[in-house]
Coordinates of all heavy atoms in Angstrom, one line a residue:
V1 N 107.2 79.5 62.0 CA 106.3 80.6 62.2 C 106.5 81.6 61.0 O 107.6 81.9 60.7 CB 106.6 81.3 63.5 CG1 105.7 82.6 63.6 CG2 106.4 80.4 64.6
F2 N 105.4 81.9 60.4 CA 105.4 82.9 59.3 C 104.8 84.2 59.7 O 103.8 84.3 60.4 CB 104.6 82.4 58.1 CG 105.2 81.2 57.4 CD1 104.8 79.9 57.8 CD2 106.1 81.3 56.4 CE1 105.3 78.8 57.2 CE2 106.7 80.2 55.8 CZ 106.3 79.0 56.2
F3 N 105.5 85.3 59.3 CA 105.0 86.6 59.6 C 104.7 87.3 58.2 O 105.5 87.3 57.3 CB 106.1 87.4 60.3 CG 106.4 87.0 61.7 CD1 107.4 86.1 61.9 CD2 105.6 87.4 62.7 CE1 107.7 85.7 63.2 CE2 105.8 86.9 64.0 CZ 106.9 86.1 64.2
L4 N 103.5 87.8 58.1 CA 103.1 88.5 56.9 C 103.3 90.0 57.2 O 102.8 90.6 58.1 CB 101.7 88.2 56.6 CG 101.1 88.9 55.4 CD1 101.8 88.5 54.1 CD2 99.6 88.6 55.3
I5 N 104.2 90.6 56.4 CA 104.4 92.0 56.5 C 103.7 92.7 55.3 O 104.0 92.4 54.2 CB 105.9 92.3 56.4 CG1 106.6 91.6 57.6 CG2 106.2 93.8 56.5 CD1 108.1 91.7 57.6
Y6 N 102.8 93.6 55.7 CA 102.1 94.3 54.7 C 102.5 95.7 54.6 O 102.5 96.4 55.7 CB 100.6 94.2 55.0 CG 99.7 95.0 54.0 CD1 99.5 94.6 52.7 CD2 99.2 96.2 54.4 CE1 98.8 95.3 51.8 CE2 98.4 97.0 53.6 CZ 98.2 96.5 52.3 OH 97.5 97.3 51.4
I7 N 103.0 96.2 53.6 CA 103.5 97.5 53.4 C 102.5 98.2 52.5 O 102.3 97.8 51.3 CB 104.9 97.6 52.8 CG1 105.9 96.9 53.8 CG2 105.3 99.1 52.6 CD1 107.3 96.8 53.2
H8 N 101.8 99.2 53.0 CA 100.9 100.0 52.2 C 101.6 101.0 51.3 O 102.3 101.9 51.8 CB 99.9 100.7 53.1 CG 98.9 101.5 52.4 ND1 97.9 100.9 51.6 CD2 98.8 102.8 52.2 CE1 97.2 101.9 51.1 NE2 97.7 103.1 51.4
V9 N 101.4 100.8 50.0 CA 102.0 101.7 49.1 C 100.9 102.2 48.2 O 100.2 101.4 47.6 CB 103.1 101.1 48.2 CG1 103.6 102.1 47.2 CG2 104.2 100.6 49.1
W10 N 100.6 103.5 48.2 CA 99.5 104.0 47.3 C 100.1 104.3 46.0 O 101.2 104.8 45.9 CB 98.8 105.1 48.0 CG 99.5 106.4 48.2 CD1 99.7 107.4 47.4 CD2 100.3 106.7 49.4 NE1 100.5 108.4 47.9 CE2 100.9 108.0 49.1 CE3 100.6 106.0 50.5 CZ2 101.7 108.6 50.1 CZ3 101.4 106.7 51.5 CH2 101.9 107.9 51.2
V11 N 99.4 104.1 45.0 CA 99.9 104.4 43.6 C 98.8 105.2 42.9 O 97.6 104.8 42.9 CB 100.1 103.0 42.9 CG1 100.6 103.3 41.4 CG2 101.2 102.2 43.6
S12 N 99.2 106.2 42.3 CA 98.3 107.0 41.5 C 99.1 107.4 40.2 O 100.3 107.4 40.2 CB 97.7 108.2 42.2 OG 98.7 109.1 42.5
V13 N 98.3 107.8 39.3 CA 99.0 108.3 38.0 C 99.1 109.8 38.0 O 98.1 110.5 38.2 CB 98.2 107.7 36.8 CG1 98.8 108.2 35.5 CG2 98.1 106.2 36.8
V14 N 100.3 110.3 37.7 CA 100.5 111.7 37.5 C 101.2 111.8 36.1 O 102.3 111.5 36.0 CB 101.3 112.3 38.6 CG1 101.6 113.8 38.3 CG2 100.7 112.2 40.0
G15 N 100.4 112.2 35.1 CA 100.9 112.1 33.8 C 101.2 110.7 33.4 O 100.3 109.9 33.5
E16 N 102.4 110.4 33.1 CA 102.8 109.0 32.7 C 103.5 108.3 33.8 O 104.0 107.2 33.6 CB 103.6 109.0 31.4 CG 104.9 109.8 31.5 CD 105.6 109.9 30.2 OE1 105.3 110.9 29.5 OE2 106.5 109.1 29.9
Y17 N 103.7 108.9 34.9 CA 104.5 108.3 36.0 C 103.5 107.9 37.2 O 102.5 108.4 37.3 CB 105.5 109.3 36.6 CG 106.5 109.7 35.5 CD1 106.3 110.9 34.8 CD2 107.5 108.9 35.1 CE1 107.2 111.3 33.8 CE2 108.4 109.3 34.1 CZ 108.2 110.5 33.5 OH 109.1 110.9 32.5
H18 N 104.0 106.9 38.0 CA 103.2 106.5 39.1 C 103.9 106.9 40.4 O 105.1 106.8 40.6 CB 103.1 105.0 39.1 CG 102.3 104.4 38.0 ND1 101.0 104.3 38.0 CD2 102.7 104.0 36.7 CE1 100.6 103.8 36.8 NE2 101.6 103.7 36.0
V19 N 103.1 107.5 41.3 CA 103.6 107.9 42.6 C 103.7 106.7 43.5 O 102.7 106.0 43.7 CB 102.6 109.0 43.2 CG1 103.1 109.3 44.6 CG2 102.5 110.2 42.4
E20 N 104.9 106.5 44.1 CA 105.0 105.5 45.1 C 104.7 106.0 46.5 O 104.0 105.4 47.2 CB 106.5 105.0 45.1 CG 106.7 103.9 46.1 CD 108.1 103.3 46.1 OE1 108.7 103.2 45.0 OE2 108.7 103.1 47.2
R21 N 105.2 107.2 46.8 CA 104.9 107.9 48.0 C 105.4 109.3 48.0 O 106.2 109.7 47.2 CB 105.6 107.2 49.2 CG 107.1 107.2 49.2 CD 107.7 106.3 50.3 NE 109.1 106.2 50.1 CZ 110.0 107.0 50.7 NH1 109.6 108.0 51.5 NH2 111.3 106.8 50.5
I22 N 104.8 110.1 48.9 CA 105.3 111.5 49.1 C 106.3 111.4 50.3 O 106.0 110.9 51.4 CB 104.1 112.4 49.5 CG1 103.2 112.5 48.3 CG2 104.6 113.8 49.8 CD1 101.9 113.3 48.5
V23 N 107.5 111.9 50.1 CA 108.6 111.8 51.0 C 108.5 112.9 52.1 O 108.6 112.7 53.3 CB 109.9 111.9 50.3 CG1 111.1 111.8 51.3 CG2 110.0 110.8 49.3
Q24 N 108.3 114.2 51.6 CA 108.2 115.3 52.5 C 107.6 116.5 51.8 O 107.3 116.4 50.6 CB 109.6 115.7 53.0 CG 110.6 116.1 51.9 CD 111.9 116.4 52.4 OE1 112.1 116.9 53.5 NE2 113.0 116.2 51.6
H25 N 107.4 117.6 52.5 CA 106.8 118.8 51.9 C 107.7 120.0 52.3 O 108.4 119.9 53.3 CB 105.4 119.0 52.3 CG 105.2 119.3 53.7 ND1 105.2 118.3 54.7 CD2 105.0 120.5 54.4 CE1 105.0 118.9 55.9 NE2 104.9 120.2 55.7
K26 N 107.5 121.1 51.6 CA 108.2 122.3 51.9 C 107.3 123.5 51.3 O 106.5 123.2 50.5 CB 109.6 122.4 51.4 CG 109.7 122.5 49.9 CD 111.2 122.6 49.4 CE 111.3 122.7 47.9 NZ 112.6 122.8 47.5
R27 N 107.6 124.7 51.8 CA 107.0 125.8 51.2 C 107.8 126.4 50.1 O 109.0 126.6 50.2 CB 106.8 126.9 52.3 CG 105.8 126.5 53.4 CD 104.4 126.9 53.0 NE 103.5 126.4 54.1 CZ 102.3 126.4 54.0 NH1 101.7 126.7 52.8 NH2 101.5 126.0 54.9
G28 N 107.2 126.6 48.9 CA 107.9 127.1 47.8 C 107.7 128.6 47.7 O 107.3 129.3 48.7
K29 N 107.9 129.2 46.5 CA 107.6 130.6 46.3 C 106.2 130.9 46.6 O 105.3 130.2 46.2 CB 108.0 131.0 44.9 CG 109.5 130.9 44.6 CD 109.8 131.3 43.2 CE 111.3 131.1 42.9 NZ 111.6 131.4 41.6
G30 N 105.9 132.1 47.2 CA 104.6 132.5 47.5 C 103.9 131.6 48.6 O 102.7 131.5 48.7
K31 N 104.7 130.9 49.4 CA 104.3 130.0 50.4 C 103.5 128.8 49.9 O 102.7 128.2 50.6 CB 103.5 130.7 51.5 CG 104.4 131.8 52.2 CD 103.7 132.3 53.4 CE 104.6 133.3 54.2 NZ 104.0 133.8 55.4
K32 N 103.6 128.5 48.6 CA 102.9 127.4 48.0 C 103.5 126.1 48.5 O 104.8 125.9 48.5 CB 103.0 127.5 46.5 CG 102.2 126.5 45.8 CD 102.2 126.7 44.3 CE 101.2 125.9 43.6 NZ 101.0 126.3 42.2
L33 N 102.7 125.1 48.9 CA 103.2 123.8 49.3 C 103.7 123.0 48.1 O 103.0 122.9 47.1 CB 102.1 123.0 50.0 CG 101.9 123.3 51.5 CD1 100.7 122.5 52.0 CD2 103.1 122.9 52.3
L34 N 104.9 122.4 48.3 CA 105.5 121.5 47.3 C 105.8 120.2 48.0 O 106.1 120.2 49.2 CB 106.8 122.1 46.8 CG 106.7 123.4 46.0 CD1 108.1 123.9 45.7 CD2 105.9 123.2 44.8
Y35 N 105.7 119.1 47.3 CA 105.8 117.8 47.8 C 106.9 117.1 47.1 O 107.0 117.0 45.8 CB 104.5 117.0 47.7 CG 103.4 117.6 48.4 CD1 102.5 118.5 47.8 CD2 103.1 117.3 49.8 CE1 101.5 119.1 48.5 CE2 102.1 117.9 50.5 CZ 101.3 118.8 49.8 OH 100.3 119.4 50.5
E36 N 107.8 116.4 47.8 CA 108.9 115.6 47.2 C 108.2 114.3 46.9 O 107.8 113.6 47.8 CB 110.1 115.4 48.2 CG 111.2 114.6 47.5 CD 112.4 114.4 48.4 OE1 112.4 114.8 49.6 OE2 113.3 113.8 47.9
V37 N 108.2 113.9 45.7 CA 107.5 112.7 45.2 C 108.6 111.6 44.9 O 109.5 111.9 44.1 CB 106.6 112.9 44.0 CG1 106.0 111.7 43.5 CG2 105.6 113.9 44.4
K38 N 108.4 110.4 45.5 CA 109.2 109.2 45.1 C 108.4 108.5 44.0 O 107.2 108.1 44.3 CB 109.4 108.3 46.3 CG 109.9 106.9 46.1 CD 111.3 106.9 45.6 CE 111.9 105.5 45.5 NZ 111.6 104.9 44.3
W39 N 109.0 108.4 42.9 CA 108.3 107.7 41.7 C 108.5 106.2 41.7 O 109.6 105.7 42.0 CB 108.8 108.3 40.4 CG 108.5 109.8 40.4 CD1 109.5 110.8 40.5 CD2 107.3 110.4 40.1 NE1 108.9 112.0 40.4 CE2 107.5 111.8 40.2 CE3 106.0 110.0 39.9 CZ2 106.5 112.8 40.0 CZ3 105.0 111.0 39.7 CH2 105.3 112.3 39.8
L40 N 107.4 105.5 41.5 CA 107.5 104.0 41.4 C 108.5 103.6 40.4 O 108.5 104.1 39.3 CB 106.1 103.5 41.1 CG 105.9 102.0 41.2 CD1 106.1 101.5 42.7 CD2 104.5 101.6 40.8
N41 N 109.3 102.6 40.8 CA 110.4 102.0 39.9 C 111.5 103.0 39.5 O 112.2 102.7 38.5 CB 109.7 101.4 38.6 CG 108.8 100.3 39.0 OD1 109.0 99.5 39.9 ND2 107.7 100.3 38.2
Y42 N 111.6 104.1 40.3 CA 112.7 105.0 40.0 C 113.5 105.1 41.3 O 113.0 104.9 42.4 CB 112.2 106.4 39.6 CG 111.7 106.4 38.2 CD1 110.4 106.1 37.9 CD2 112.6 106.8 37.2 CE1 110.0 106.1 36.6 CE2 112.1 106.9 35.9 CZ 110.8 106.5 35.6 OH 110.4 106.5 34.3
N43 N 114.8 105.5 41.2 CA 115.7 105.7 42.4 C 115.3 107.0 43.1 O 114.7 107.9 42.5 CB 117.1 105.7 41.9 CG 117.6 104.4 41.4 OD1 117.2 103.3 41.9 ND2 118.4 104.4 40.3
D44 N 115.8 107.1 44.3 CA 115.6 108.3 45.1 C 116.1 109.5 44.5 O 115.5 110.6 44.6 CB 116.2 108.1 46.5 CG 115.4 107.1 47.4 OD1 114.2 106.8 47.1 OD2 115.9 106.7 48.4
H45 N 117.2 109.4 43.8 CA 117.8 110.6 43.2 C 116.9 111.2 42.0 O 117.2 112.2 41.5 CB 119.2 110.4 42.7 CG 119.4 109.5 41.6 ND1 119.6 108.1 41.8 CD2 119.4 109.7 40.3 CE1 119.7 107.5 40.6 NE2 119.6 108.5 39.7
D46 N 115.9 110.4 41.6 CA 114.9 110.8 40.6 C 113.7 111.5 41.2 O 112.8 111.9 40.4 CB 114.5 109.6 39.7 CG 115.7 109.1 38.9 OD1 116.4 109.9 38.4 OD2 115.8 107.8 38.9
N47 N 113.7 111.6 42.5 CA 112.5 112.3 43.2 C 112.4 113.7 42.6 O 113.4 114.4 42.3 CB 112.7 112.4 44.7 CG 112.6 111.0 45.3 OD1 112.5 110.0 44.7 ND2 112.8 111.0 46.6
T48 N 111.2 114.2 42.6 CA 111.0 115.6 42.1 C 110.1 116.3 43.1 O 109.3 115.7 43.9 CB 110.3 115.6 40.7 OG1 109.1 115.0 40.8 CG2 111.2 115.0 39.7
W49 N 110.1 117.6 43.1 CA 109.2 118.5 43.9 C 108.1 118.9 43.0 O 108.3 119.4 41.9 CB 110.0 119.7 44.4 CG 111.0 119.4 45.5 CD1 112.3 119.1 45.3 CD2 110.7 119.2 46.9 NE1 112.9 118.8 46.5 CE2 111.9 118.9 47.5 CE3 109.5 119.3 47.6 CZ2 112.0 118.6 48.9 CZ3 109.6 119.1 49.0 CH2 110.8 118.7 49.6
E50 N 106.9 118.6 43.5 CA 105.6 118.8 42.7 C 104.7 119.6 43.5 O 104.5 119.4 44.7 CB 105.0 117.5 42.3 CG 105.8 116.6 41.5 CD 106.1 117.1 40.1 OE1 105.3 117.8 39.6 OE2 107.1 116.7 39.5
P51 N 103.9 120.5 42.9 CA 102.8 121.2 43.6 C 101.7 120.3 43.8 O 101.5 119.3 43.1 CB 102.4 122.3 42.6 CG 102.9 121.8 41.2 CD 104.1 121.0 41.5
G52 N 100.9 120.6 44.8 CA 99.8 119.7 45.2 C 98.8 119.4 44.0 O 98.2 118.3 44.0
E53 N 98.6 120.4 43.1 CA 97.6 120.1 42.0 C 98.1 119.1 41.1 O 97.3 118.6 40.2 CB 97.3 121.4 41.3 CG 98.5 122.2 40.7 CD 99.0 123.3 41.6 OE1 98.7 123.3 42.8 OE2 99.8 124.1 41.1
N54 N 99.4 118.7 41.1 CA 99.9 117.6 40.2 C 99.8 116.2 40.9 O 100.2 115.2 40.3 CB 101.4 117.8 39.9 CG 101.6 119.0 39.0 OD1 100.6 119.6 38.5 ND2 102.8 119.3 38.7
I55 N 99.2 116.2 42.1 CA 99.2 114.9 42.8 C 97.7 114.6 43.2 O 97.0 115.5 43.6 CB 100.0 115.0 44.1 CG1 101.5 115.4 43.8 CG2 100.0 113.7 44.9 CD1 102.3 115.8 45.0
Y56 N 97.4 113.4 43.0 CA 96.0 113.0 43.3 C 95.7 113.2 44.8 O 96.5 113.0 45.7 CB 95.7 111.5 43.0 CG 95.4 111.3 41.5 CD1 96.2 110.4 40.8 CD2 94.3 111.9 41.0 CE1 95.9 110.2 39.4 CE2 94.0 111.7 39.6 CZ 94.8 110.8 38.9 OH 94.5 110.6 37.6
E57 N 94.5 113.7 45.0 CA 94.0 114.0 46.4 C 94.2 112.8 47.4 O 94.6 113.1 48.5 CB 92.6 114.4 46.3 CG 92.2 115.4 47.4 CD 90.8 115.9 47.2 OE1 90.6 116.7 46.2 OE2 89.9 115.6 48.1
Y58 N 94.0 111.6 46.9 CA 94.2 110.5 47.8 C 95.6 110.4 48.3 O 95.8 110.1 49.5 CB 93.8 109.2 47.0 CG 94.0 107.9 47.9 CD1 93.1 107.6 48.9 CD2 95.1 107.1 47.7 CE1 93.3 106.5 49.7 CE2 95.2 105.9 48.4 CZ 94.3 105.7 49.4 OH 94.5 104.6 50.2
C59 N 96.6 110.6 47.5 CA 98.0 110.6 47.9 C 98.3 111.6 48.9 O 99.0 111.4 49.9 CB 98.9 110.8 46.7 SG 98.9 109.4 45.6
L60 N 97.7 112.8 48.7 CA 97.9 113.9 49.7 C 97.2 113.6 51.0 O 97.8 113.8 52.1 CB 97.3 115.2 49.1 CG 98.0 115.8 47.9 CD1 97.3 117.0 47.3 CD2 99.5 116.1 48.2
Y61 N 96.0 113.0 51.0 CA 95.3 112.6 52.2 C 96.2 111.6 52.9 O 96.3 111.7 54.2 CB 94.0 112.0 51.8 CG 93.2 111.4 53.0 CD1 92.6 112.3 53.9 CD2 93.2 110.1 53.2 CE1 91.9 111.7 55.0 CE2 92.6 109.5 54.3 CZ 91.9 110.4 55.2 OH 91.3 109.8 56.3
E62 N 96.7 110.6 52.2 CA 97.5 109.5 52.9 C 98.7 110.1 53.5 O 99.1 109.8 54.6 CB 97.9 108.4 51.9 CG 96.8 107.5 51.5 CD 96.4 106.6 52.6 OE1 97.2 106.0 53.3 OE2 95.1 106.4 52.8
Y63 N 99.4 111.0 52.8 CA 100.6 111.7 53.3 C 100.3 112.5 54.6 O 101.0 112.3 55.6 CB 101.2 112.6 52.3 CG 102.3 113.5 52.8 CD1 103.6 112.9 53.1 CD2 102.1 114.8 53.1 CE1 104.6 113.7 53.6 CE2 103.2 115.6 53.6 CZ 104.4 115.0 53.9 OH 105.4 115.7 54.4
W64 N 99.3 113.3 54.6 CA 98.9 114.1 55.7 C 98.4 113.3 56.9 O 98.6 113.6 58.1 CB 97.9 115.2 55.4 CG 98.6 116.3 54.6 CD1 98.4 116.6 53.3 CD2 99.6 117.2 55.0 NE1 99.3 117.6 52.9 CE2 100.0 118.0 53.9 CE3 100.3 117.4 56.2 CZ2 101.0 119.0 54.0 CZ3 101.2 118.4 56.4 CH2 101.6 119.2 55.3
S65 N 97.8 112.2 56.6 CA 97.4 111.2 57.7 C 98.6 110.7 58.4 O 98.6 110.5 59.6 CB 96.6 110.1 57.1 OG 95.4 110.6 56.6
K66 N 99.6 110.4 57.7 CA 100.9 109.8 58.3 C 101.7 110.9 59.0 O 102.3 110.7 60.0 CB 101.7 109.2 57.2 CG 101.1 107.9 56.7 CD 101.9 107.3 55.6 CE 101.2 106.0 55.1 NZ 101.9 105.3 54.1
V67 N 101.7 112.1 58.4 CA 102.5 113.2 59.0 C 101.8 113.7 60.3 O 102.4 114.1 61.3 CB 102.6 114.4 58.0 CG1 103.2 115.6 58.7 CG2 103.5 114.0 56.9
G68 N 100.5 113.6 60.3 CA 99.7 114.0 61.5 C 99.4 115.4 61.6 O 99.0 115.9 62.7
T69 N 99.5 116.2 60.6 CA 99.1 117.6 60.6 C 98.3 117.9 59.3 O 98.2 117.0 58.4 CB 100.3 118.6 60.7 OG1 101.1 118.3 59.5 CG2 101.1 118.4 61.9
S70 N 97.8 119.0 59.2 CA 97.0 119.4 58.0 C 97.8 120.1 57.0 O 98.9 120.5 57.3 CB 95.8 120.3 58.4 OG 96.2 121.6 58.7
S71 N 97.3 120.2 55.8 CA 98.1 120.9 54.8 C 98.2 122.4 55.0 O 98.9 123.1 54.3 CB 97.4 120.7 53.4 OG 96.1 121.2 53.4
Q72 N 97.5 122.9 56.0 CA 97.6 124.3 56.4 C 98.8 124.6 57.3 O 99.1 125.7 57.6 CB 96.4 124.8 57.2 CG 95.1 124.5 56.4 CD 95.1 125.2 55.0 OE1 95.5 126.4 54.9 NE2 94.7 124.5 54.0
A73 N 99.6 123.5 57.7 CA 100.7 123.7 58.6 C 101.8 124.5 57.9 O 102.0 124.5 56.8 CB 101.2 122.3 59.0

């Protein structure tokens, strides 16, 4: 018996790096939303906090769909 496991990973380009996934979010200075980004082909300790305008809208949509709340939370 074969089981096919499909893991959805969205990839977009931010500068010269590729986003593997958004790990979490937090409020930065001025209550601005920041996202912890896991970069494709990099270790977790290379994750960075990025403002939403540095991340493609599709990645943000996918993240908020999985989190189950809106970006206004």
Side-chain angles (χ1 to χ4, degrees):
V1 177
F2 290 94
F3 293 97
L4 177 62
I5 299 174
Y6 176 73
I7 300 173
H8 178 70
V9 176
W10 64 92
V11 177
S12 68
V13 178
V14 177
E16 60 186 86
Y17 301 98
H18 295 271
V19 174
E20 180 177 322
R21 65 187 170 92
I22 297 173
V23 178
Q24 61 181 331
H25 69 279
K26 69 178 182 181
R27 295 274 179 192
K29 292 180 182 177
K31 296 190 177 184
K32 187 174 190 170
L33 276 174
L34 298 173
Y35 298 90
E36 182 182 3
V37 176
K38 166 71 171 86
W39 300 104
L40 187 64
N41 299 322
Y42 286 86
N43 293 319
D44 288 344
H45 68 270
D46 294 317
N47 293 1
T48 59
W49 288 95
E50 300 291 334
E53 59 264 17
N54 288 357
I55 304 169
Y56 277 121
E57 208 171 294
Y58 178 74
C59 291
L60 295 173
Y61 174 80
E62 288 288 318
Y63 172 74
W64 287 111
S65 294
K66 290 178 182 183
V67 170
T69 59
S70 73
S71 60
Q72 303 303 313

